[in-house]
């Protein structure tokens, strides 16, 4: 859409000039003159033009364009008729004719002319003297001309070869000269209060929001000289109320064609002065827009406030047509969101009864509490989600289900808890009901006593009845959207919590999911067992700079009681402790404790910031898993903020899931610790140092969290000068294999130290394994005894029971098996085993591995015995440690996947001359 506005310009004559046949030109002129018998005004003071694409949404855009234009020109009396006619004509163009539409608004002294042109000129032309059928009201289209005839003072149709144009003229209603609006004569006692000298600050703001003009009354009201504020943004001085749910701020209000309402201006003294403002958007002759703001003190709002055109109780217009009572009270168009609707409601209720404040509360699902959802004229602490009981006391005045009028709240302290400490004296409240069910409460209050009677209560109740259904419908819509979002949130939270079994990570996830989605800060307490006190395990705030301060504060506060009762309960201790700490800090900064203020001034900022961060509502939710309280989830809001009921219900659902995840992480951590402790007990202690022989072992257990599997190794002294060594592989992996591993390792040490030979040791171990019955598993084992010799060599006696053969690397680089294969253990009762003697010369290496090394696979390829021998040939001259490391690197690089089997490597080398 393209628009243009040119004030004071004469519009071109829209009639065609010579491009039509003469006969058709005359017919058009006759048709137009048949309707338009008076000459048009020759003085056009402004014009606005816009083009709209041939799409359905352009109709709404055209309506908004005409409404905003006429409202900016001050033609409120003819806006509704102009919008209706424009809507019909643009619909004909963009929907029925399928062409783009050009809308031109012309302002004159006595009214406004609107022209709508399309690019579909082949239409029927009404002729003079003939009965003109302008369409049936029951048809979807074709009603534009009929509405023009009914609503417009003058109208016409004009054609060119490429365009068809329909125009209409709306005249302003006649009024006495100088009269825009008038009210009845009133006794002096009923006139609005104002100071003896009413001052109206006139401030002009340019397109960037910067002050360009500031009059003397502005200086008197706010204490700023003009040269001190000109050139500064108005937002530096304005204290916008930040009403929840309304998207309009001071910057947005300055961009509207017209705006009227309340906000504050920070005076030179630092105090905020409440003002009532009227904004009008204008532009100069060069087309530069600016906003003129008229400001008075808020209690003098009657000077600027525009009276309502139709009383709230009046449901008919001057011509007898019925109007919608809801639109009369709320205005049209009504806000399309719940918070905007509620805020509009309280503002209209306040203005309707000329009150100082108003508030609206919505009932919870069980109708036991009311939750503050909108207010005006009250401190921010009373604005959002504070809760009060529906039945506050005995009798009708203590129940929100009945209308109530309080002449003076000082006589009945606590009658309306929401207004305590606000300075309000008189109040009237009425219920919002839908089909007999309480859905909310609407109230207005004034600072003076005795302001309201039953008549005002009836007026307010009438308004409440008109809006109750719309409010409930909007509330249910918001609740449905919130519940859909809650389900998505819980699904995502469940996936994240189920994705980890680490306790610390679970605590971090729990906090990160609540901040800032559910709360401004949170703390998680954990309880190790029923005899332990709650322990502060995790603290998180949306501002990381405040985490340490909150953690320090909570560490000085007694933890909440671990009550298993489900649901959130209010915990006031953090807020009270923060308030006391801030108070003490402030007193010390003033030197009231007798000490110099400069010594503690640096700590004031963090203390006050912490107090503000935890000064709002704080709730505690128990973390219950398997019928035991394992911790508490604490959620908090900053100063003056409360939790809404739906958020607390969502937090309760999250706490149940988080508690189970935290308990699962605890159990997993405990069992992992036990498993690792038992597994470490199966590993041999530190390897002994053998004179004349280098020894290196590398061991890798398969599976996450396993330190010991089915593979094992051992090296131990048997007697002076003799050592036993073993490397074996139990069938399978995991705890069952590890049990056989422990049996084998301990049995080998015991039997070898009894002086038995290698074959006898393995035969007795075979019997012990078979005695395990169903728990037994077959075992491959390489067992040997080592004797270092005085000439620098080493003698070995080995038995290879079903195990991969040990490989001997000589100094010349040749590799050969150092033993012969024999039957494995744990299968047959009678074994005939024998030992073989091997002598390692200086520089020789004996390499022993398990099948996890030789059976390393990559697709169809396997490392195998030959591949291992090839790697070993490259290890000539290396130490035992270097040999073992090179073998392990070769195994790891052979395949990209993680090993699926346990692996053990035992390398023994007799020192000699080597390359390094």
């Amino acid at each position: 859409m393209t628009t243009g506005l040119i004030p004071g310009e004469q519009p071109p004559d829209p009639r065609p000039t010579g491009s039509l046949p003469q006969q058709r030109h005359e017919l058009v002129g006759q048709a137009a003159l048949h309707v338009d018998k008076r000459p048009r005004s020759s003085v056009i003071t402004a014009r606005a033009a816009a083009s709209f694409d041939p799409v359905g949404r352009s109709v709404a855009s055209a309506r908004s364009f005409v409404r905003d234009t006429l409202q900016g020109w001050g033609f409120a009396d003819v806006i509704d008729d102009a919008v209706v006619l424009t809507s019909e004509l643009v619909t004909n163009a963009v929907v029925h004719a399928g062409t783009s539409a050009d809308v031109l608004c012309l302002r004159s002294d006595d009214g406004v002319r609107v022209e709508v042109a399309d690019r579909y000129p082949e239409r029927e032309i009404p002729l003079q003297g003939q009965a003109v059928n302008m369409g049936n009201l029951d048809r979807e289209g074709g009603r534009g001309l009929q509405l023009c005839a009914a609503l417009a003072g003058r109208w016409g149709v004009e054609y060119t070869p490429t365009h068809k144009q329909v125009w209409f003229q709306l005249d302003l209603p006649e009024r006495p000269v100088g009269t825009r609006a008038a009210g009845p004569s009133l006794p002096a006692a009923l006139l609005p209060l104002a100071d003896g000298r009413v001052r109206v600050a006139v401030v002009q703001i340019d397109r960037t929001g910067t002050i360009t003009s500031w009059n003397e009354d502005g200086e008197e009201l706010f204490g700023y000289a003009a040269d001190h504020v000109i050139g500064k943004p108005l937002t530096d001085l304005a204290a916008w109320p930040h009403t929840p749910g309304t998207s309009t701020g001071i910057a947005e209000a300055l961009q509207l064609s017209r705006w009227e309402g309340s906000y504050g201006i920070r005076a030179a003294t630092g105090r905020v002065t409440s003002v009532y403002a009227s904004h009008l958007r204008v532009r100069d002759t060069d087309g530069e827009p600016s906003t003129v703001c008229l400001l008075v003190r808020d209690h003098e709002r009657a000077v600027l406030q525009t009276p309502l055109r139709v009383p709230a109780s009046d449901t008919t217009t001057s011509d007898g047509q019925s109007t919608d009572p809801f639109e009369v009270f709320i205005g049209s168009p009504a806000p399309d969101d719940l918070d905007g609707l509620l805020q509009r409601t309280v503002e209209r209720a306040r203005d309707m009864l000329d009150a100082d404040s108003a508030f609206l509360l919505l009932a919870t699902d069980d109708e036991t509490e009311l939750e503050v959802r909108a207010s005006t004229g009250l401190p921010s602490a009373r604005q959002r989600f504070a809760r009060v009981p529906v039945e506050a006391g005995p009798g009708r005045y203590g129940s929100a289900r009945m209308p109530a009028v309080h002449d003076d709240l000082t006589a009945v302290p606590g009658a309306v808890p929401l207004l305590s400490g606000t300075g309000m004296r008189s109040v009237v409240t009425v219920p919002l009901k839908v089909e007999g069910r309480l859905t909310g409460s609407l109230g207005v209050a004034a600072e003076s006593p005795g302001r309201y009677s039953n008549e005002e209560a009836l007026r307010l109740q009438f308004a409440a009845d008109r809006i109750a259904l719309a409010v409930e419908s909007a509330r249910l819509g918001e609740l449905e959207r919130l519940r859909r979002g809650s389900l998505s949130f819980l699904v995502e939270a469940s996936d994240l919590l189920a994705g980890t079994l680490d306790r610390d990570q679970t605590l971090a996830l729990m906090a990160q999911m609540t901040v800032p989605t559910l709360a401004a800060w949170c703390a998680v307490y954990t309880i190790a067992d029923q005899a332990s006190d709650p322990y502060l395990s995790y603290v998180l705030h949306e501002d990381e700079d405040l985490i340490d301060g909150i953690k320090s504060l909570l560490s000085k506060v007694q933890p909440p009681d671990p009550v298993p009762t489900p649901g959130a309960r209010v915990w006031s201790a953090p807020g009270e402790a923060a308030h006391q700490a801030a108070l003490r800090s402030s007193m010390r900064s003033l030197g009231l404790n007798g000490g110099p203020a400069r010594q503690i001034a640096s700590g004031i900022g963090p203390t006050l910031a912490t107090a503000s961060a935890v000064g709002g509502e704080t709730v505690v939710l128990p973390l219950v898993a398997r019928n035991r309280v394992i911790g508490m989830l604490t959620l908090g809001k900053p100063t003056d903020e409360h939790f809404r009921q739906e958020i607390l219900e969502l937090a309760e659902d999250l706490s149940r899931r988080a508690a189970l995840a935290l308990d699962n992480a605890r159990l997993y951590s405990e069992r992992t610790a036990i498993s690792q402790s038992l597994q470490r007990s199966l590993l041999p202690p530190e390897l002994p140092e053998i004179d004349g022989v280098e020894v290196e072992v590398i061991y890798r257990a398969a599976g996450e969290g396993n330190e010991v599997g089915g593979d094992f190794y051992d090296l131990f002294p048997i007697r002076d000068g003799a050592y036993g060594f073993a490397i074996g592989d139990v069938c399978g992996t995991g705890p069952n294999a590890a049990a056989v591993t422990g049996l084998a390792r301990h049995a080998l040490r015991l039997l070898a130290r009894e002086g038995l030979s290698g074959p006898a040791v393995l035969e007795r171990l075979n019997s012990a394994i078979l005695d395990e019955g169903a728990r037994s598993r077959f075992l491959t084992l390489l067992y040997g005894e080592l004797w270092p010799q005085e000439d620098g060599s080493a003698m070995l006696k080995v038995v290879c029971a079903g195990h991969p053969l040990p490989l001997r690397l000589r100094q010349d680089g040749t590799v050969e098996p150092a033993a012969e294969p024999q039957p494995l253990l744990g299968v047959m009762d009678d074994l005939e085993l024998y030992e073989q003697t091997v002598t390692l010369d200086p520089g020789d290496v004996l390499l022993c591995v398990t099948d996890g090394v030789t059976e390393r696979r990559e697709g169809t390829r396997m490392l195998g015995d030959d591949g291992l021998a090839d790697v070993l040939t490259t290890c000539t001259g290396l130490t035992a440690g270097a040999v073992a490391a090179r073998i392990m690197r070769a195994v790891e690089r052979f395949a990209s996947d993680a090993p699926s089997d346990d692996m053990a490597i035992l390398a023994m080398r007799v020192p000699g001359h080597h390359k390094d």
Side-chain angles (χ1 to χ4, degrees):
M1 183 185 80
T2 59
T3 63
L5 184 64
I6 308 173
E9 181 181 352
Q10 300 291 336
D13 191 345
R15 293 177 295 181
T17 58
S19 59
L20 278 178
Q22 183 66 29
Q23 183 181 5
R24 186 174 182 183
H25 180 266
E26 294 174 356
L27 291 176
V28 174
Q30 291 173 352
L33 291 174
H34 178 66
V35 179
D36 184 11
K37 297 181 180 180
R38 294 181 296 170
R40 289 180 292 168
S41 173
S42 60
V43 180
I44 302 300
T45 57
R47 60 178 285 173
S51 297
F52 300 93
D53 296 329
V55 292
R57 63 175 179 272
S58 293
V59 178
S61 300
R63 287 198 298 264
S64 299
F65 165 69
V66 172
R67 179 182 297 277
D68 293 342
T69 300
L70 270 58
Q71 196 168 30
W73 289 349
F75 288 176
D77 296 288
V78 298
I79 284 178
D80 293 336
D81 289 345
V83 168
V84 169
L85 294 176
T86 303
S87 178
E88 287 294 331
L89 297 178
V90 174
T91 299
N92 289 340
V94 302
V95 176
H96 301 301
T99 76
S100 59
D102 299 325
V103 179
L104 175 64
C105 299
L106 303 173
R107 182 181 69 181
S108 62
D109 295 334
D110 57 350
V112 63
R113 172 185 169 115
V114 179
E115 300 175 357
V116 180
D118 62 39
R119 294 172 175 80
Y120 189 72
E122 291 81 8
R123 311 288 285 187
E124 180 181 358
I125 304 174
L127 301 178
Q128 183 179 14
Q130 294 184 355
V132 179
N133 181 10
M134 292 181 291
N136 190 325
L137 288 176
D138 295 330
R139 293 176 56 195
E140 181 180 357
R143 298 175 298 190
L145 300 182
Q146 191 167 8
L147 287 172
C148 286
L151 299 178
R154 286 168 286 169
W155 64 277
V157 184
E158 300 174 350
Y159 288 85
T160 71
T162 58
H163 289 73
K164 176 178 72 71
Q165 178 179 280
V166 181
W167 62 270
F168 59 86
Q169 175 87 22
L170 297 174
D171 298 325
L172 293 177
E174 295 184 2
R175 293 192 183 91
V177 176
T179 301
R180 169 64 177 157
S185 300
L186 293 175
L190 299 180
L191 295 176
L193 290 175
D195 294 342
R197 165 74 163 86
V198 177
R199 298 188 181 275
V200 180
V202 181
V203 185
Q204 192 158 4
I205 313 296
D206 65 13
R207 68 162 65 231
T208 65
T210 302
I211 299 172
T212 60
S213 177
W214 182 272
N215 71 342
E216 294 181 357
D217 280 357
E219 297 183 14
E220 291 293 334
L221 286 174
F222 310 119
Y224 297 110
D227 56 351
H228 288 170
V229 293
I230 291 177
K232 294 183 178 180
L234 181 62
T235 52
D236 289 355
L237 305 180
W240 192 259
H242 295 293
T243 304
T246 57
S247 60
T248 303
I250 184 65
E252 290 79 9
L254 292 173
Q255 299 299 319
L256 300 177
S257 61
R258 184 179 292 275
W259 184 89
E260 190 174 312
S262 299
Y263 51 86
I265 295 292
R266 294 184 182 88
T269 60
R271 300 185 61 181
V272 175
T273 301
S274 296
V275 298
Y276 192 83
S278 177
H279 298 175
L280 178 64
R281 189 78 164 163
V282 298
R283 69 175 189 152
D284 58 23
T285 55
D286 296 328
E288 181 66 19
S290 62
T291 303
V292 177
C293 306
L294 306 181
L295 310 176
V296 298
R297 293 185 179 93
D298 193 57
H299 66 272
E300 296 173 339
R301 65 172 59 193
V303 175
L304 300 179
Q305 191 170 27
T306 302
L308 296 175
R309 285 196 303 164
V310 182
S313 59
D314 188 0
T315 60
T316 59
T317 60
S318 58
D319 58 1
Q321 295 181 347
S322 176
T323 60
D324 186 352
F326 172 78
E327 290 190 358
V328 170
F329 181 72
I330 293 297
S332 180
D336 56 1
D337 64 299
L338 177 61
D339 288 331
L341 177 62
L342 300 182
Q343 193 61 35
R344 178 81 64 84
T345 298
V346 295
E347 291 171 355
R348 292 297 173 86
R350 179 195 64 183
D351 294 341
M352 183 180 72
L353 296 187
D354 193 22
D356 295 311
S357 64
F359 52 89
L360 193 150
L361 304 88
L362 294 183
T364 55
D365 290 339
D366 56 5
E367 296 185 28
T368 59
E369 288 186 312
L370 293 168
E371 194 173 60
V372 179
R373 293 299 301 270
S375 66
T376 181
L378 294 176
S380 60
R382 318 303 171 104
Q383 284 189 352
R384 292 287 278 179
F385 307 125
R387 290 179 294 276
V388 296
V390 170
E391 307 292 343
R396 59 169 292 183
Y397 292 106
S399 173
R401 302 181 188 276
M402 298 290 292
V405 177
H406 292 278
D407 291 332
D408 193 349
L409 290 178
T410 58
V412 281
V416 183
L418 184 66
L419 300 179
S420 298
T422 63
M424 299 298 159
R425 298 283 297 274
S426 53
V427 61
V428 54
T429 60
V430 296
L432 276 68
K433 293 184 178 181
V434 175
E435 297 180 352
R437 183 173 59 87
L438 180 69
T439 60
S441 177
L442 176 63
V444 297
E447 295 179 353
S448 57
R451 283 282 298 275
Y452 304 115
S453 63
N454 289 340
E455 181 180 353
E456 282 81 7
L458 290 175
R459 291 180 61 195
L460 190 62
Q461 184 68 70
F462 180 83
D465 293 341
R466 302 287 79 77
I467 66 169
L469 185 59
V471 169
E472 180 65 4
S473 176
R475 187 186 75 88
L476 292 176
E478 180 199 62
L479 189 60
E480 179 62 25
R481 290 190 296 272
L482 182 61
R483 285 176 176 170
R484 285 198 300 267
S486 299
L487 289 176
S488 300
F489 173 78
L490 290 175
V491 168
E492 182 180 357
S494 300
D495 290 343
L496 290 173
L497 291 171
T500 178
L501 287 172
D502 182 82
R503 175 182 176 276
D504 293 337
Q505 189 173 0
T506 301
L507 290 172
L509 283 174
M510 190 188 313
Q512 291 166 7
M513 285 184 291
T514 58
V515 176
T517 305
L518 305 181
W521 65 273
C522 87
V524 183
Y525 290 86
T526 56
I527 303 175
D529 52 60
Q530 296 181 353
S532 301
D533 293 328
Y535 174 76
L536 182 62
S537 299
Y538 203 92
V539 175
L540 184 66
H541 191 279
E542 55 188 356
D543 183 353
E544 294 182 358
D545 294 337
L546 297 176
I547 294 177
D548 291 339
I550 296 176
K551 188 181 299 183
S552 175
L553 176 71
L554 294 178
S555 64
K556 301 174 184 177
V557 176
Q558 188 70 21
D561 296 330
V563 179
T565 306
R569 69 181 192 276
V570 177
W571 186 32
S572 60
E576 295 174 355
H579 175 73
Q580 293 298 325
L583 182 60
R584 289 193 299 270
S585 179
S586 299
M587 293 179 64
R588 288 196 300 269
S589 69
L590 297 174
L592 299 180
N593 63 340
R598 62 177 181 274
Q599 296 179 358
I600 49 83
S602 60
I604 297 173
T607 302
L608 296 179
T610 303
S612 176
V614 302
E617 188 175 36
T618 303
V619 297
V620 177
L621 298 103
L623 299 175
V624 181
R626 299 174 178 87
N627 298 320
R628 186 175 75 86
V629 180
I630 64 171
M632 285 89 69
L633 176 63
T634 303
L635 305 179
K637 288 280 192 178
T639 300
D640 296 340
E641 291 192 22
H642 299 264
F643 288 98
R644 61 183 304 176
Q645 188 64 32
E646 292 83 1
I647 294 297
L648 294 179
E649 293 173 358
L650 180 59
E652 185 178 355
D653 287 339
L654 176 63
S655 68
R656 286 194 291 266
R657 290 163 171 79
L660 188 59
L662 183 61
D663 199 47
N664 288 338
R666 178 187 63 82
L667 292 175
Y668 178 79
S669 299
E670 291 178 355
R671 293 181 181 181
T672 300
I674 294 172
S675 174
Q676 292 175 347
S677 176
L678 292 175
Q679 290 182 53
R680 282 192 292 270
S681 70
L682 300 177
L683 294 174
E686 294 182 0
L687 297 179
E689 293 185 2
I690 303 176
D691 292 337
V693 179
E694 298 174 359
V695 179
E696 182 66 28
V697 174
I698 297 179
Y699 182 82
R700 300 283 170 81
E704 183 180 357
N706 291 332
E707 294 188 16
V708 176
D711 291 4
F712 70 96
Y713 68 92
D714 202 359
L715 179 65
F716 54 91
I718 299 176
R719 52 188 174 273
D720 291 342
Y723 296 88
F725 66 90
I727 184 170
D729 184 3
V730 179
C731 173
T733 60
N736 292 332
V740 179
T741 296
L743 171 65
R745 194 177 71 81
H746 292 293
L748 284 175
R749 287 195 173 211
L750 180 63
L751 295 172
R753 287 169 178 170
E754 289 294 324
L756 299 176
S757 65
V761 169
L762 267 61
E763 289 170 1
R764 283 168 174 75
L765 175 60
N766 181 64
S767 299
I769 294 174
L770 293 175
D771 289 342
E772 291 293 309
R775 296 182 298 175
S776 67
R777 291 171 176 254
F778 64 81
L779 168 67
T780 68
L781 181 64
L782 172 65
Y783 173 74
E785 295 180 358
L786 169 68
W787 287 274
Q789 303 298 309
E790 293 181 358
D791 60 0
S793 63
M795 185 180 70
L796 294 84
K797 293 183 178 181
V798 297
V799 180
C800 187
H803 199 77
L805 299 180
L807 299 179
R808 176 182 181 179
L809 171 66
R810 296 183 180 275
Q811 273 194 317
D812 58 5
T814 60
V815 175
E816 60 184 8
E820 298 176 351
Q822 301 184 57
L824 50 76
L825 308 181
V827 178
M828 298 180 294
D829 289 331
D830 297 328
L831 292 178
E832 294 183 2
L833 303 175
Y834 59 91
E835 61 185 9
Q836 297 174 270
T837 302
V838 179
T839 300
L840 296 180
D841 296 326
D844 289 355
V845 176
L846 184 72
L847 177 66
C848 310
V849 300
T850 58
D851 61 4
V853 174
T854 57
E855 295 180 1
R856 177 72 163 154
R857 295 179 181 274
E858 174 70 16
T860 59
R861 299 186 308 117
M862 186 173 73
L863 180 63
D865 295 334
D866 294 339
L868 180 62
D870 292 341
V871 177
L872 185 58
T873 59
T874 66
C875 298
T876 304
L878 299 182
T879 64
V883 171
R886 179 169 292 187
I887 298 297
M888 179 55 70
R889 282 198 303 270
V891 172
E892 291 175 343
R893 293 173 180 174
F894 187 81
S896 57
D897 296 337
S900 59
D901 194 7
D902 304 327
M903 292 187 295
I905 300 174
L906 171 61
M908 292 183 292
R909 178 178 179 272
V910 177
H913 299 291
H914 48 78
K915 295 179 181 180
D916 55 353

